[in-house]
Amino acid sequence: MVARVTTLNLVIFSMLSFLVPGFAQENQAPGPEGPGELLHYLQENALSVYIAASVSEPNNKNVWHTESKKVTISGRAVQVKLTGENVIIFADIIPYMNEDRTILLVAKGEVWAQSEALSGVRYYSTMKSLPVRPGEPVIFFPLGRAMDQKQNIYTIQLEISVVPYTP
């Protein structure tokens, strides 16, 4: 049993050292030393990313909605994948915490949409960055407006909010 706990501790320590830049490397800028300081560092620098994804019809009627909360650290992406009948959307939400505790929010979207009119799959990508205050909601439209085969227009949006993590 002791060997299993030691192996588990090594795995966790290795994963955490990957998450915190410079932690497991010598001759780097001062950083957390030891598991206790690492856990304190993660508590102080972790971010909660709230994402509410929704699809609206032309009359602004909400036809689909989901919410999620993910925890990350500054500079590490939170990934979102939305899959529909003729569309796949990937979004990477990357918060960067500044020294003054403001956040630079980067959102990258990739869309693969099947188009019967064009007999194939179309690819779109977008990237936006925006300085925000913790808790300030941001709306990201990875697809813009999409039309179905009946020329109905749908809007897909992600509402994103980032706050310091609290256990």
Side-chain angles (χ1 to χ4, degrees), residues 84-100:
E85 188 174 315
N86 295 321
V87 66
I88 297 174
I89 300 171
F90 290 103
D92 288 332
I93 311 301
I94 311 163
Y96 292 94
M97 181 69 78
N98 297 316
E99 287 182 19
D100 65 356

Side-chain angles (χ1 to χ4, degrees), residues 12-166:
I12 291 171
F13 185 76
S14 297
M15 289 173 52
L16 291 175
S17 65
F18 174 75
L19 288 174
V20 180
F23 179 69
Q25 300 171 4
E26 293 185 31
N27 300 326
Q28 294 290 327
E33 295 179 16
E37 284 189 33
L38 176 61
L39 291 176
H40 179 67
Y41 175 86
L42 289 175
Q43 277 187 322
E44 292 294 316
N45 294 288
L47 300 168
S48 295
V49 179
Y50 297 92
I51 301 170
S54 61
V55 177
S56 300
E57 289 182 326
N59 58 3
N60 290 329
K61 180 182 176 190
N62 199 2
V63 294
W64 180 80
H65 181 84
T66 188
E67 295 181 13
S68 69
K69 172 187 170 187
K70 297 187 179 185
V71 177
T72 189
I73 60 172
S74 179
R76 297 285 179 188
V78 169
Q79 298 179 329
V80 177
K81 179 181 178 184
L82 305 173
T83 305
E85 188 174 315
N86 295 321
V87 66
I88 297 174
I89 300 171
F90 290 103
D92 288 332
I93 311 301
I94 311 163
Y96 292 94
M97 181 69 78
N98 297 316
E99 287 182 19
D100 65 356
R101 306 301 280 177
T102 60
I103 299 165
L104 175 65
L105 187 63
V106 177
K108 180 183 123 194
E110 295 180 275
V111 177
W112 284 267
Q114 185 174 356
S115 171
E116 290 187 20
L118 300 173
S119 309
V121 176
R122 307 261 318 182
Y123 172 79
Y124 307 92
S125 69
T126 184
M127 180 178 259
K128 301 287 181 185
S129 63
L130 184 67
V132 296
R133 293 181 309 274
E136 182 178 6
V138 174
I139 305 294
F140 179 54
F141 297 93
L143 186 61
R145 295 167 34 155
M147 284 191 206
D148 66 9
Q149 293 150 349
K150 298 176 187 170
Q151 301 300 310
N152 292 319
I153 298 174
Y154 294 89
T155 303
I156 298 173
Q157 74 178 33
L158 301 177
E159 181 176 332
I160 305 159
S161 177
V162 180
V163 296
Y165 173 76
T166 53

